[in-house]
Amino acid sequence: STKFKHLLGPRLTYNYVPDMDEKDRLKIKIFDSIDTIGTPSNSITYEFGQRLLKRFKTGANKFQTKRILRFNVSQTYNIREATRQKQSGEDRLPFSDLQFDFDSRLLDSIILNADASYNFKTDLVKTFNFEAGIKPTDNFWIIMERRWMRNGPNYILGTFNLALNPGWRVQYSARYDELASTFRENQFSLLYDNPCRCWGFS
């Protein structure tokens, strides 16, 4: 009644924005992303991704396919940086951090996500983030997230999300700063979404 499929997906992306009309671009008032023309760039991003799909039987001769796991590894090579004129004693750094990205929903009631970056210049892990969630009942989520950055902010975020029928949802979250050993935020929210989906408030 079920079937798994493992997909391997290499991807190569070339991004080029010419270095021209710089003075005119500086005259543009940027209010949102539409106004952003972009800085000059010439780079290649190579990525290797994996996806695990599972087919669920939903009825007689009826099936549904869901992605239950994804894992990507990627890096960018900056051609502009690799070919620029460098000063005496200066190093060119054309390679970006190596990025790892993993997320999974092996079961509908469990979330396991993680991402990390590795810096080749320092030979150290630069960032590591982890998220885990469990749904003990159909209307209640408990989610814990830890975000870590070398020589940067590190914190733990906990969230409780409770759905109350019909249309009510209550959420509480707290963010704990590990470096300062203190709670930075405590947030409580109440949301009502009318069953007709035509109005609501929070």
Side-chain angles (χ1 to χ4, degrees):
S1 61
T2 60
K3 183 179 180 180
F4 293 91
K5 181 179 287 188
H6 183 201
L7 302 179
L8 306 177
R11 177 181 295 178
L12 190 67
T13 305
Y14 177 64
N15 182 44
Y16 177 71
V17 178
D19 187 6
M20 58 187 295
D21 300 328
E22 182 178 358
K23 292 183 179 180
D24 290 334
R25 285 202 303 240
L26 292 175
K27 296 177 183 178
I28 298 174
K29 302 296 182 183
I30 299 176
F31 293 100
D32 54 35
S33 59
I34 297 176
D35 301 317
T36 304
I37 296 179
T39 57
S41 65
N42 189 12
S43 64
I44 297 174
T45 299
Y46 35 92
E47 175 183 339
F48 186 75
Q50 301 187 64
R51 289 185 297 160
L52 187 63
L53 308 179
K54 183 178 180 181
R55 187 176 68 171
F56 297 87
K57 189 173 183 179
T58 58
N61 297 322
K62 292 183 179 180
F63 297 89
Q64 182 182 7
T65 301
K66 292 183 180 180
R67 187 186 73 189
I68 61 174
L69 187 146
R70 180 181 67 90
F71 179 60
N72 281 5
V73 181
S74 63
Q75 188 179 40
T76 298
Y77 180 75
N78 190 332
I79 300 173
R80 286 174 58 90
E81 172 68 13
T83 57
R84 71 175 175 85
Q85 291 185 349
K86 63 176 183 176
Q87 303 295 328
S88 177
E90 185 183 20
D91 292 330
R92 294 191 182 97
L93 302 172
F95 291 98
S96 73
D97 295 339
L98 191 62
Q99 303 286 337
F100 301 89
D101 192 6
F102 171 86
D103 59 69
S104 67
R105 289 291 296 273
L106 299 177
L107 299 173
D108 285 340
S109 58
I110 295 177
I111 294 175
L112 286 176
N113 301 330
D115 63 84
S117 62
Y118 175 80
N119 189 299
F120 279 95
K121 182 183 178 182
T122 61
D123 197 26
L124 294 170
V125 174
K126 185 177 179 180
T127 63
F128 179 77
N129 305 312
F130 178 78
E131 180 185 34
I134 186 170
K135 185 168 67 170
T137 63
D138 289 340
N139 63 337
F140 184 46
W141 270 107
I142 303 172
I143 300 175
M144 188 277 291
E145 181 180 1
R146 185 176 190 267
R147 305 192 67 84
W148 178 87
M149 177 183 294
R150 187 174 298 278
N151 300 322
N154 304 314
Y155 62 85
I156 297 173
L157 178 67
T159 302
F160 298 92
N161 194 325
L162 178 63
L164 304 172
N165 290 330
W168 291 92
R169 188 166 72 247
V170 178
Q171 186 179 84
Y172 170 75
S173 64
R175 183 165 65 94
Y176 181 76
D177 189 329
E178 295 184 41
L179 297 180
S181 298
T182 186
F183 283 94
R184 292 293 188 189
E185 292 177 331
N186 290 277
Q187 297 184 357
F188 176 82
S189 64
L190 177 66
L191 169 69
Y192 178 72
D193 192 2
N194 187 270
C196 71
R197 301 290 182 180
C198 57
W199 68 276
F201 68 87
S202 62

